[in-house]
Amino acid sequence: MVEAQTWTTRRGSNPRLETEQVVDIPATPTSEVRNYNSLGGGFLSPNLVTALIIASWYLSNIGVLLLNKYLLSFYGFRYPIFLTMLHMLSCAAYSFIAIHCLQLVPFQQILSRRQFFKIAALSAIFCFSVVCGNTSLRYIPISFNQAIGATTPFFTAVFAFLITCKKESVQVYFALVPVVFGIVVASNSEPLFHLFGFLICIGSTAGRALKSVVQGLLLTSEAEKLHSMNLLLYMAPMAAMILLPFTLYIEGNVAAITVEKAWGDRFIVFLLLGNATVAYLVNLTNFLVTKHTSALTLQVLGNAKAALAAVVSVLIFRNPVTVMGMTGFGVTIMGVVLYTDARKRSKVTAH
């Protein structure tokens, strides 16, 4: 019987193969590995990279709030709609660079007219939310603005029930009680309370919640789902086009006024360009934080970010605060934490 030769015996029978070295061809790195290396992953540990990304997200979020407040309330640039339009144009330009030039994420095309109109509807809601948020900064301090913004989960639950008839567990609804109660306490104790600023900030918070619900409702099929950066690429220019007639009608020939101001004060050019750039960085770092952590972690970090932004704004702008106002803000944040935990538990139970 002839013994079947294995690869080892055949290799041993060939003297050339004994002396030749086996060359290992490295595998082609995936896009995630390339992106990780481009973010410094080749030199920094993953935990340090994540910490730097979170710090960048905090800085950009707090930075855009401070710049908006300074421009609209202290610098005298009282054109919140035009400022929002600049933000949208900046997001469109930087998104194009990030997707087509840097290739941070694959480019996705709009596949149908129906999908286009869905994105246009989201753009309109997005415009409403951002304009209201920027306008509110003219009338109320950042600390109060962030306290109101923390009630987003309440409006999300309300719109989810009204639009999709989605019911949450009793524990989830119970967790919303301190969210609302805290903002009531903070409002009654706010020294710089302004009714219009309060209402417009409520509108911004409700618009932000409505966008998240409608986005989940409209872009449900796998064919219509867009990556967050691709969605911003399409929404930003649409939002700018929506805002253009409103800024011309309400704020007048603001572009000419801005150019005239720039001739006498070049600092405003730096402020507007920096403000628009930081506005895009908020969206970019938001995507990076979600990618390197999770959506749940993003919510938890967002709660801490709101508290930190309130503290920083008080330190910089010296707006008066009261113990009851701080207590109300704290109760609202605690309610949001309880709400997040209750939703997590209800999802685990459902599965």
Side-chain angles (χ1 to χ4, degrees):
M1 177 180 289
V2 179
E3 181 182 359
Q5 285 185 323
T6 62
W7 166 250
T8 306
T9 58
R10 291 197 302 271
R11 183 180 184 275
S13 63
N14 192 336
R16 292 182 59 190
L17 293 178
E18 290 293 336
T19 57
E20 288 182 354
Q21 295 182 348
V22 180
V23 179
D24 292 329
I25 301 176
T28 303
T30 62
S31 59
E32 291 186 359
V33 174
R34 291 194 299 268
N35 291 338
Y36 173 72
N37 289 333
S38 66
L39 289 172
F43 305 98
L44 304 175
S45 66
N47 291 335
L48 183 57
V49 171
T50 302
L52 290 174
I53 291 172
I54 293 173
S56 300
W57 183 61
Y58 270 49
L59 288 173
S60 59
N61 271 273
I62 297 175
V64 76
L65 281 171
L66 297 177
L67 285 172
N68 287 344
K69 180 66 177 178
Y70 179 74
L71 274 167
L72 296 170
S73 296
F74 295 91
Y75 194 77
F77 189 81
R78 303 185 183 279
Y79 307 105
I81 303 178
F82 179 70
L83 183 63
T84 306
M85 190 178 74
L86 290 181
H87 289 178
M88 296 300 102
L89 293 174
S90 170
C91 287
Y94 285 121
S95 296
F96 182 86
I97 295 172
I99 294 175
H100 290 279
C101 300
L102 302 179
Q103 297 182 348
L104 293 181
V105 296
F107 172 66
Q108 295 173 285
Q109 292 183 341
I110 297 179
L111 301 177
S112 64
R113 184 179 299 179
R114 182 180 179 182
Q115 186 184 22
F116 173 83
F117 284 115
K118 288 180 178 181
I119 297 174
L122 287 174
S123 300
I125 300 173
F126 185 53
C127 284
F128 174 79
S129 175
V130 178
V131 169
C132 287
N134 289 339
T135 304
S136 69
L137 291 175
R138 284 186 56 187
Y139 304 98
I140 60 176
I142 292 178
S143 54
F144 191 37
N145 174 281
Q146 291 298 289
I148 298 172
T151 62
T152 301
F154 169 77
F155 292 100
T156 302
V158 171
F159 286 125
F161 177 77
L162 294 177
I163 297 175
T164 66
C165 297
K166 179 183 178 181
K167 295 182 180 180
E168 301 286 355
S169 64
V170 177
Q171 291 80 4
V172 172
Y173 288 123
F174 182 76
L176 291 173
V177 174
V179 173
V180 178
F181 176 74
I183 201 62
V184 171
V185 173
S187 300
N188 289 332
S189 307
E190 174 57 45
L192 299 180
F193 181 84
H194 191 283
L195 181 60
F196 178 74
F198 171 77
L199 294 177
I200 204 76
C201 192
I202 288 288
S204 172
T205 306
R208 187 161 56 248
L210 179 62
K211 175 184 171 293
S212 65
V213 174
V214 173
Q215 181 174 330
L217 184 65
L218 294 183
L219 303 177
T220 53
S221 67
E222 289 297 328
E224 290 184 335
K225 281 185 178 179
L226 291 174
H227 190 279
S228 58
M229 294 187 71
N230 279 278
L231 185 60
L232 182 64
L233 175 67
Y234 292 118
M235 284 178 54
M238 291 183 187
M241 293 178 63
I242 294 172
L243 291 172
L244 180 59
F246 286 97
T247 187
L248 292 176
Y249 179 76
I250 297 175
E251 298 176 338
N253 193 8
V254 62
I257 296 174
T258 304
V259 172
E260 184 179 352
K261 282 188 174 183
W263 281 111
D265 183 9
R266 299 296 175 88
F267 184 59
I268 193 174
V269 178
F270 170 78
L271 280 176
L272 292 177
L273 289 177
N275 182 262
T277 301
V278 176
Y280 172 72
L281 291 178
V282 170
N283 295 278
L284 176 62
T285 53
N286 184 84
F287 152 69
L288 291 175
V289 170
T290 305
K291 178 181 177 182
H292 284 76
T293 57
S294 65
L296 180 61
T297 303
L298 184 69
Q299 292 179 354
V300 176
L301 292 172
N303 299 334
K305 183 265 299 179
L308 181 61
V311 172
V312 172
S313 69
V314 171
L315 294 176
I316 292 178
F317 297 116
R318 305 290 182 179
N319 56 281
V321 293
T322 62
V323 175
M324 286 301 296
M326 295 171 60
T327 303
F329 189 14
V331 171
T332 297
I333 295 295
M334 181 190 69
V336 174
V337 173
L338 293 175
Y339 169 82
T340 303
D341 183 66
R343 284 206 64 189
K344 181 182 177 181
R345 292 176 181 272
S346 64
K347 288 181 179 179
V348 172
T349 305
H351 292 304

